[in-house]
Amino acid sequence: MPDHVDDVDPQRLATLLSRIRREVEHGPLPSAQVAVARHGRLAAFETYGDAGPGTRYVLQSVGRSIVAGAVWKLIGDGLLDVGEQVAAIIPEFAPNGKETVTVEQVLTHTAGFPFAPLGYPKMLDREQRLAAFGRWRLDYPPGSRFQFHLTSAAWLIAEIVERRTGLAFADYLRERIVRPLGLSSIELGVPVDRQPGSVAPMLATDRTGDDQEPDPWGPWYLSDPKVLAAGEPSHALVATAADVALYFQALVHSGLWTPEAVAEGTRIRLTDRPHGEQVYGGGGSRRTSMALFVTVAGPDAGSNLPSTGSPALFGSAGAAYQLGFMDPESGLSFACLSNGYPLAGYDHTPHGTALLTDIANLAAGLVG
């Protein structure tokens, strides 16, 4: 464990780490990795189970916060205005009534095409991606409904980054953000031959018979090494928990982002219960507050964010047992990653809900 960082309560930290370790030693998780950071440096970094400290994990929706940071950097560099229409940047996107969709609507999951398809291997070819953008159709008028765009938003963000910088998204992330920050574990599009021994494989936590197969929808599509290598821009990112926690710190302390851009990126645009099925992020008893491609605790702390932090806390929870956040008021950042997944992809059981709630709230309560 790194040196103690002032004001991170050591007893609360021990309780948090014990809670996570218990789910590996006596619960369903094959491994877990956790990191806590404050004042720009690590306060804790631990790995439990069948993985080493250098093991990287598929981030799933936790990766959205990293994608968000790339967008915020464009805003701060004067290369993007979120009020722009997507079709003005990507003309191929315009057909089928989508010419009025704005960048902000894509970033806040209100653009109107939550399940627009773009699967493997089509995702590998830029021309096929652009052709798919044109075929996508609206399910409802842009701006009229909040529903997570799990299959579509990140691809548009990646293309916007490329149009404005001349760099493919993975290259922009590596050259302009990851390398200057020294966070070398963060990578998009890990080649198949470099995945074994580097990226924790996805393992079922509830398999009871040889005839059970994972639901291919949702997180399990990334269990295929070829699909992971294809690099879907947010969910297919890999990293260690330490680098995720330090990435959140870098948003504030590194100087790569202007304070104004981070403030704009984390400003709440809407607070509502997301539409759609629970398995795709919909429903829930609490409202979710959206900023620019991150969720914010806001008044309700929805979408599995902790309720013990400040209303300004922002980040993303990921399927199935993952969480990354930054609390600007306490200065604390946190990441918990695992390679255990239920066959359905998400764990909405009482135990799963308690686990996610406990970890989130214990983490956010480490300071103060």
Side-chain angles (χ1 to χ4, degrees), residues 307-367:
S307 58
T308 51
S310 76
L313 181 150
F314 67 88
S316 300
Y321 306 102
Q322 307 199 115
L323 176 65
F325 69 76
M326 173 76 183
D327 191 335
E329 293 192 11
S330 70
L332 184 91
S333 62
F334 172 77
C336 183
L337 308 175
S338 178
N339 61 326
Y341 291 82
L343 290 166
Y346 301 81
D347 189 348
H348 296 299
T349 66
H351 175 269
T353 301
L355 170 60
L356 294 172
T357 301
D358 287 353
I359 291 174
N361 287 337
L362 289 169
L366 288 173
V367 176

Side-chain angles (χ1 to χ4, degrees), residues 3 67 72 84 94 121 128 141 160 167 175 204 208 215 221 231 233 237 288:
D3 293 337
V67 175
W72 302 350
E84 294 182 77
Q128 291 193 60
I160 289 169
L167 294 172
E175 299 299 327
T208 59
D215 183 340
Y221 82 106
L237 278 160
T288 293

Side-chain angles (χ1 to χ4, degrees), residues 64-73 75-76 82 104 107-108 247-252 257-271 288-299 305 310-316 324-329 332:
R64 276 189 235 150
S65 295
I66 295 175
V67 175
V71 175
W72 302 350
K73 183 164 172 53
I75 294 170
V82 298
E104 182 175 28
L107 296 172
T108 56
Y247 183 90
F248 280 111
Q249 291 291 312
L251 291 170
V252 177
W257 288 267
T258 66
E260 295 79 10
V262 175
E264 180 69 6
T266 57
R267 179 171 63 84
I268 293 174
R269 267 49 180 201
L270 63 90
T271 298
T288 293
S289 294
M290 280 301 309
L292 297 181
F293 218 55
V294 293
T295 49
V296 182
L305 290 185
S310 76
L313 181 150
F314 67 88
S316 300
F325 69 76
M326 173 76 183
D327 191 335
E329 293 192 11
L332 184 91

Side-chain angles (χ1 to χ4, degrees), residues 125-178:
D125 184 84
R126 188 186 185 196
E127 292 306 314
Q128 291 193 60
R129 294 197 299 269
L130 294 175
F133 294 168
R135 289 192 297 270
W136 289 352
R137 296 181 179 276
L138 295 171
D139 292 334
Y140 46 83
S144 66
R145 180 183 297 178
F146 168 39
Q147 185 172 3
F148 286 110
H149 286 45
L150 300 177
T151 63
S152 54
W155 285 113
L156 284 176
I157 294 168
E159 185 63 26
I160 289 169
V161 169
E162 185 162 355
R163 299 281 171 124
R164 288 296 162 89
T165 68
L167 294 172
F169 183 78
D171 296 333
Y172 179 81
L173 182 65
R174 181 181 63 250
E175 299 299 327
R176 302 292 172 82
I177 296 178
V178 170

